[in-house]
Amino acid sequence: MSRTLNRKRTAFIATSAAIGLALTGCAAGNGGDEGDKAASTTTLTFATSFTDDHPHNRCGSFVIRDAINEQTDLGLKIDVFTNSQLGPDTERFEALKSGDIDLDLQGPSALSSMYPEIGVIDTAYAFDGADHAFEFFDSGAADELTDGLLEATGYRTLEPFFFGMRNFSANSAIRTPEDLAALQMRFPDSPQFLMNAEAVGATAVAVAFEEIYVALQQGIVDGQENPIPTVKSMSLDEVQTHVNLSEHQTGVQLLLVNDDTWQSLTDEQRDALTEAAADARQQDYDCIVEAEQAIIDEWEETGAVTVVKDVDKAAFANKAESYFMNKYTGERLEFYKAIRESAPSN
């Protein structure tokens, strides 16, 4: 069954002129064979929270879109809506579940509101970097988690995307847990992130992703934590003087597809989407790493931001591990142990 954009929920149409333009293009048709081809094309909606220039879009969602759309005989097309055009993360949950959105990038901690166990992927200092995280997924060790997410929500995981190493920013240096304890720090409003804050000794204030800049500018919070490309793309370096390389979390975003959408695709379409997602994962990783280094170099050259590299990561990591070994129980504890035991250092 064709799932074209002009069948998407009208509430989304009203929120974006871009969607209206897309509708016009889909509905027009050209008649003859071209019209028949257009009528038989399945159009998927891909939504993200990120700006166009963020690696998750320019090296991720756009790469997938272009790879699919260039295959004109595939009968599949992807439209991408960035920058929360189709609503913030929490609103898109239901849209993805109902099929009003077909593809989305979401963080495990946010998804934990519907499937608590998936939040363990976002545990502070659980992974020893992107390579460790990718190996955990590629080896099949994460299958029980992603299968559980699918059963609980109807969200099928295509790929993990590297979001970057999460670091603390503030208007002062943060080298130890003691430095962090004196600050009000923005964390996402999810149980997992709030546990992470407690685990590393932070005082957490929940602020929506889209409101971080204003919260920092107005002094509602003293600092925040995000990967470096996100700090730059959201212009947080305009309202923060120090970026502290705590690398307290290996940021992972899950590329999700509505399972009903997935089941409606042909084998050829599934294969093409799977291949495009895998290629985009690598390109996204490369872009994240390149962007991180370029931004750090720029900050150090201009002095616009003080980059604090001598963070006592061992002190933070040991504090976090002690916390989670006592905090987690049941399946989450077992998943956490499995991640730590799979670390290259173990």
Side-chain angles (χ1 to χ4, degrees), residues 10-326:
T10 55
F12 289 125
I13 299 170
T15 64
S16 173
I19 303 178
L21 290 173
L23 269 168
T24 302
C26 287
N30 295 312
D33 292 340
E34 291 184 3
D36 292 341
K37 182 182 289 186
S40 65
T41 296
T42 296
T43 302
L44 306 184
T45 300
F46 191 162
T48 81
S49 296
F50 304 98
T51 57
D52 284 7
D53 64 345
H54 190 280
H56 273 355
N57 285 319
R58 61 184 174 84
C59 304
S61 67
F62 296 164
V63 169
I64 296 172
R65 176 198 63 194
D66 294 346
I68 295 300
N69 292 356
E70 286 170 2
Q71 300 180 58
T72 56
D73 294 329
L74 187 62
L76 189 64
K77 182 175 180 289
I78 292 178
D79 288 335
V80 176
F81 298 93
T82 62
N83 208 26
S84 299
Q85 290 181 67
L86 301 188
D89 288 347
T90 52
E91 290 183 11
R92 297 201 312 275
F93 284 159
E94 284 304 316
L96 182 63
K97 196 169 188 177
S98 66
D100 290 324
I101 291 172
D102 300 295
L103 293 151
D104 200 352
L105 273 170
Q106 292 278 0
S109 61
L111 295 166
S112 69
S113 64
M114 294 173 288
Y115 176 57
E117 288 79 5
I118 200 73
V120 75
I121 295 171
D122 273 344
T123 301
Y125 291 105
F127 290 107
D128 291 355
D131 289 345
H132 179 199
F134 287 155
E135 175 59 27
F136 186 74
F137 278 88
D138 293 345
S139 69
D143 287 356
E144 189 172 351
L145 277 169
T146 55
D147 289 348
L149 178 66
L150 174 61
E151 182 177 352
T153 64
Y155 304 163
R156 178 177 294 272
T157 302
L158 290 182
E159 286 286 351
F161 272 30
F162 181 48
F163 189 37
M165 302 303 295
R166 297 183 79 97
N167 299 288
F168 292 117
S169 73
N171 291 322
S172 60
I174 300 173
R175 293 184 172 88
T176 67
E178 290 71 28
D179 294 332
L180 185 62
L183 303 175
Q184 299 283 315
M185 300 294 291
R186 179 270 172 181
F187 276 78
D189 188 12
S190 76
Q192 183 59 55
F193 271 101
L194 297 178
M195 277 194 289
N196 285 351
E198 189 173 350
V200 297
T203 301
V205 178
V207 174
F209 183 78
E210 295 79 9
E211 298 171 3
I212 298 175
Y213 184 98
V214 173
L216 292 169
Q217 186 181 48
Q218 296 181 352
I220 296 171
V221 292
D222 298 311
Q224 63 84 50
E225 51 87 57
N226 259 304
I228 286 169
T230 304
V231 171
K232 186 65 176 178
S233 70
M234 296 182 70
S235 301
L236 303 184
D237 52 345
E238 295 177 357
V239 288
Q240 299 273 262
T241 61
H242 289 65
V243 171
N244 308 275
L245 303 187
S246 54
E247 297 187 337
H248 58 273
Q249 185 183 328
T250 302
V252 174
Q253 298 265 307
L254 300 182
L255 174 58
L256 305 171
V257 60
N258 172 282
D259 192 50
D260 288 339
T261 296
W262 180 257
Q263 299 300 337
S264 73
L265 300 179
T266 67
D267 289 344
E268 183 183 11
Q269 290 168 340
R270 290 181 195 172
D271 289 345
L273 187 54
T274 299
E275 182 177 353
D279 289 344
R281 182 184 98 169
Q282 184 60 48
Q283 291 192 46
D284 175 80
Y285 169 80
D286 292 340
C287 285
I288 289 282
V289 172
E290 291 170 7
E292 284 181 345
Q293 192 57 55
I295 293 164
I296 289 174
D297 290 345
E298 176 190 340
W299 285 339
E300 291 184 327
E301 289 171 8
T302 64
V305 172
T306 299
V307 180
V308 180
K309 297 181 177 179
D310 58 337
V311 177
D312 188 351
K313 289 186 284 188
F316 281 110
N318 291 337
K319 186 178 181 70
E321 184 169 10
S322 176
Y323 174 90
F324 287 113
M325 288 297 290
N326 288 283

